[in-house]
Structure formats: structure tokens, C-alpha cells
């Protein structure tokens, strides 16, 4: 298939694709809701950011899923292969930039949480946290 050659998706294939995408979107939304209910603040994980970190992870996951579905939806409206390639390149560049920003933000959140928990007294087994940090003699 040459680039620049217009093509059209048959109506029945388009309908089937749209239905499949909607089923996948529904399944992913259900999973994200399950995750949100099942991991409220990562109890027992205050050193890793607790609520703030889990909320950010969930928020990024929801945003990334929505972005992927928007991209898939826009692909179905593409008029030719050249447009698909352009859209894919832009999508990948945008996702790489978003991933870099998300990793940086999550790392900063975890580092901040660890440094704040280091200031908390009475954390057993953690150096500088009021508990014993080594084997007992």
C-alpha cells in the first residue's frame, strides 16, 4: 500500500472495532475502579508516599488509558497511511514525554515521603528514626 493512498474501513469492521474498543475501555475502567478501592493509600507503606503516591499512580494510569483510547479512536478517522504514520509518531513522542514527567514526579514523591518518614520518631529498624538500626548486641 503506497503512502498517500486513501482508504476506507468497511462499515461492519468499523462497528466491530468500535464495539471491541468500548468493551476494552469498560474492562479497564472496572479494573482501575477495583484498584482504587483495593489500594486506598497503600496501608503500611507510609515510607513510599502512601495516599499521595497511590493517587498519583492511579491518576497517571487513568490519563494514559484515556490518551491511548483517544489515539485509537483518531486512527479510525485517518484518511491515509501517511496520516496514520504522522499520528503514530506524534502519539509516541507525546507518550515518551509524559512517561518521563510521570517517572520524575513519582520519584520525587517517593523521595519526599522517605525523607519525611526519616524525621518521624519511633520507626523501628530504620536508622535515624528512633528505633534500632542494627543487630542487637
Amino acid at each position: 500500500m503506497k503512502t498517500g493512498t486513501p482508504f476506507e474501513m468497511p462499515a461492519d469492521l468499523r462497528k466491530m472495532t468500535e464495539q471491541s474498543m468500548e468493551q476494552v475501555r469498560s474492562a479497564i475502567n472496572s479494573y482501575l475502579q477495583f484498584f482504587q478501592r483495593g489500594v486506598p493509600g497503600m496501608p503500611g507503606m507510609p515510607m513510599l508516599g502512601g495516599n499521595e503516591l497511590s493517587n498519583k499512580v492511579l491518576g497517571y494510569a487513568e490519563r494514559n488509558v484515556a490518551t491511548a483510547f483517544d489515539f485509537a479512536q483518531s486512527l479510525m478517522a485517518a484518511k491515509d497511511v501517511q496520516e496514520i504514520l504522522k499520528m503514530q509518531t506524534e502519539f509516541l513522542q507525546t507518550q515518551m514525554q509524559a512517561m518521563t514527567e510521570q517517572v520524575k514526579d513519582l520519584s520525587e514523591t517517593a523521595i519526599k515521603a522517605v525523607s519525611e518518614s526519616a524525621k518521624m520518631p519511633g520507626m523501628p529498624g530504620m536508622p535515624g528514626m528512633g528505633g534500632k538500626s542494627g543487630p542487637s548486641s
Side-chain angles (χ1 to χ4, degrees), residues 21 25 41 79 103 116:
M21 284 180 51
R25 183 189 310 256
K79 293 177 180 32
V103 167
E116 287 175 2

Side-chain angles (χ1 to χ4, degrees), residues 54-133:
S54 63
N55 288 340
K56 284 185 178 188
V57 167
L58 183 62
Y60 287 141
E62 289 172 341
R63 208 169 315 151
N64 293 339
V65 167
T67 301
F69 275 105
D70 290 345
F71 171 66
Q73 197 73 36
S74 67
L75 282 178
M76 292 195 313
K79 293 177 180 32
D80 56 38
V81 174
Q82 188 174 11
E83 186 176 1
I84 289 174
L85 293 174
K86 180 181 180 220
M87 291 165 66
Q88 183 177 18
T89 300
E90 290 171 357
F91 174 74
L92 291 175
Q93 288 172 344
T94 302
Q95 287 304 100
M96 290 301 292
Q97 181 179 6
M99 187 183 345
T100 300
E101 292 169 5
Q102 291 169 11
V103 167
K104 180 181 177 195
D105 184 38
L106 293 173
S107 297
E108 289 171 355
T109 301
I111 289 168
K112 177 181 152 195
V114 168
S115 67
E116 287 175 2
S117 69
K119 297 174 188 173
M120 294 172 32
M123 294 289 290
M126 298 300 292
M129 295 186 193
K132 294 183 180 180
S133 60

